[in-house]
């Protein structure tokens, strides 16, 4: 998964509680999310004085980078995971005077302590069942003209991995993940009140070392929701079985990259 703690849905769409993450293990892995976040932040084209919403902030990796680019600005860091936010507060202990930390369910409308001039979301959207609602939430807290930049798993994401998962479990994660395409995402952004919309699907495979590194990555980053439903003693064998089904130690990521701007007041 990624840096957020969002919802897990059972087959048929029933919603269960927010998923908690092992933040320490997560942050120690060789995450491609680091370069995803850096590239997304660059697309914000910040001047240095903005207030930026980091939606699905995780352990604060991107918030830390944002603060370095905002000498006169602030970050509003939002996530659903208490563990992730504890890690963030530790990471950014010396800068907490410039960051508002909010534990919230990002599936729901949000009340922020201050308006946001820009919004960032890295590796979050594919955990949300309703992207249209998420875009409306972002639009509601952005100032007119504010830029929204996001990247997440998109259509075709993890196709090979999902084949391996299906062979082991009979399910391919479609009951949990929401990998949207470019056209439907563009329409949803427009309907939510965004303009200057640029949505792309980009292949970006991640290579890992077969064995412990691959299985730690799969178990911590990708299969957190599935593992929660298993007895503890079955989790490691399950991850191992999926890893063994992969033809090579590669996660075949396809990223949905979004840049848009909230409509200005006429």
């Amino acid at each position: 998964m990624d840096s957020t703690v969002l919802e897990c849905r059972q087959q048929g769409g029933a919603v269960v509680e927010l998923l908690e993450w092992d933040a320490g293990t997560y942050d120690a892995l060789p995450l491609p999310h680091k370069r995803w976040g850096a590239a997304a932040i660059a697309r914000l084209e910040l001047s240095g004085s903005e207030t930026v919403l980091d939606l699905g902030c995780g352990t604060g990796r991107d918030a830390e980078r944002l603060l370095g680019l905002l000498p006169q600005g602030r970050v509003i860091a939002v996530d659903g995971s208490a563990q992730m936010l504890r890690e963030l507060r530790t990471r950014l202990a010396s800068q907490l005077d410039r960051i508002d930390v909010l534990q919230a369910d990002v599936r729901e409308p949000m009340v922020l302590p201050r308006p946001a001039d820009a919004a960032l979301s890295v590796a979050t959207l594919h955990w949300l069942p309703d992207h249209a609602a998420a875009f409306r939430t972002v639009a509601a807290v952005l100032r007119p003209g504010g830029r929204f930049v996001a990247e997440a798993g998109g259509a075709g994401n993890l196709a090979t991995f999902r084949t391996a998962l299906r062979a082991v479990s009979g399910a391919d994660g479609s009951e949990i993940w929401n990998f949207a395409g470019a056209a439907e995402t563009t329409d949803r952004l427009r309907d939510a009140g965004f303009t200057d919309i640029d949505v792309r699907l980009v292949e970006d495979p991640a290579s890992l070392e077969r064995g412990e590194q691959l299985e730690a990555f799969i178990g911590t980053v990708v299969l957190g929701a599935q593992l929660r439903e298993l007895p503890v003693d079955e989790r490691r064998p399950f991850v191992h079985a999926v890893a063994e089904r992969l033809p090579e130690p590669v996660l075949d990521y396809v990223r949905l990259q979004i840049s848009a701007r909230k409509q200005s007041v006429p």
Side-chain angles (χ1 to χ4, degrees):
M1 156 171 167
D2 305 67
S3 60
T4 62
V5 175
L6 303 167
E7 75 150 9
C8 167
R9 288 179 296 158
Q10 296 173 330
Q11 194 79 316
V15 176
V16 297
E17 71 274 12
L18 296 177
L19 175 61
E20 190 57 81
W21 294 89
D22 181 347
T25 301
Y26 182 94
D27 231 21
L29 290 165
L31 297 170
H33 309 63
K34 296 174 183 177
R35 53 184 169 78
W36 295 339
I41 289 170
R43 300 204 304 276
L44 284 173
E45 300 177 349
L46 298 171
S47 68
S49 60
E50 295 93 341
T51 293
V52 180
L53 168 65
D54 184 359
L55 187 65
C57 61
T59 62
R61 180 179 54 250
D62 294 325
E64 183 175 31
R65 185 181 295 271
L66 284 168
L67 288 171
L69 297 172
L70 296 168
Q72 285 83 48
R74 299 185 61 86
V75 171
I76 304 172
V78 178
D79 205 289
S81 166
Q83 278 200 42
M84 290 288 196
L85 293 179
R86 279 196 295 271
E87 197 80 9
L88 178 146
R89 289 187 178 93
T90 298
R91 180 196 292 269
L92 302 178
S94 65
Q95 302 181 78
L96 290 178
D97 60 323
R98 292 202 299 126
I99 185 167
D100 298 296
V101 182
L102 178 63
Q103 184 174 2
D105 184 345
V106 304
R107 299 168 295 176
E108 304 295 335
M110 289 182 294
V111 177
L112 301 184
R114 63 195 79 240
D117 301 303
L120 173 76
S121 178
V122 177
T124 298
L125 288 176
H126 53 262
W127 296 97
L128 300 177
D130 188 344
H131 288 180
F135 296 154
R136 290 193 298 270
T137 292
V138 173
V141 298
L142 267 182
R143 293 185 187 276
R147 185 180 291 275
F148 173 42
V149 169
E151 84 83 52
N157 192 50
L158 296 176
T160 300
F161 179 85
R162 293 172 71 185
T163 298
L165 177 61
R166 187 187 303 112
V168 173
S169 69
D172 68 356
S174 57
E175 73 282 8
I176 293 172
W177 299 314
N178 182 7
F179 299 142
E184 61 193 297
T185 298
T186 298
D187 290 343
R188 289 164 180 161
L189 287 163
R190 186 178 297 112
D191 290 344
F194 288 94
T195 62
D196 300 333
I197 299 166
D198 183 0
V199 181
R200 307 179 185 188
L201 289 172
V202 178
E203 294 184 5
D204 191 7
S207 298
L208 298 156
E209 298 174 6
R210 192 173 286 281
E212 182 177 348
Q213 185 187 75
L214 174 63
E215 294 184 23
F217 192 101
I218 290 172
T220 304
V221 179
V222 185
L223 294 181
Q226 288 90 338
L227 295 181
R228 184 182 60 179
E229 303 304 314
L230 293 177
V232 173
D233 61 350
E234 295 181 15
R235 294 175 184 176
R236 185 180 293 272
F238 180 80
V239 170
H240 179 74
V242 174
E244 287 295 298
R245 288 275 184 168
L246 292 176
E248 53 184 341
V250 174
L251 293 177
D252 51 331
Y253 283 119
V254 177
R255 310 312 294 172
L256 180 71
Q257 298 179 348
I258 296 170
S259 292
R261 191 178 295 279
K262 182 180 175 179
Q263 288 179 343
S264 299
V265 176

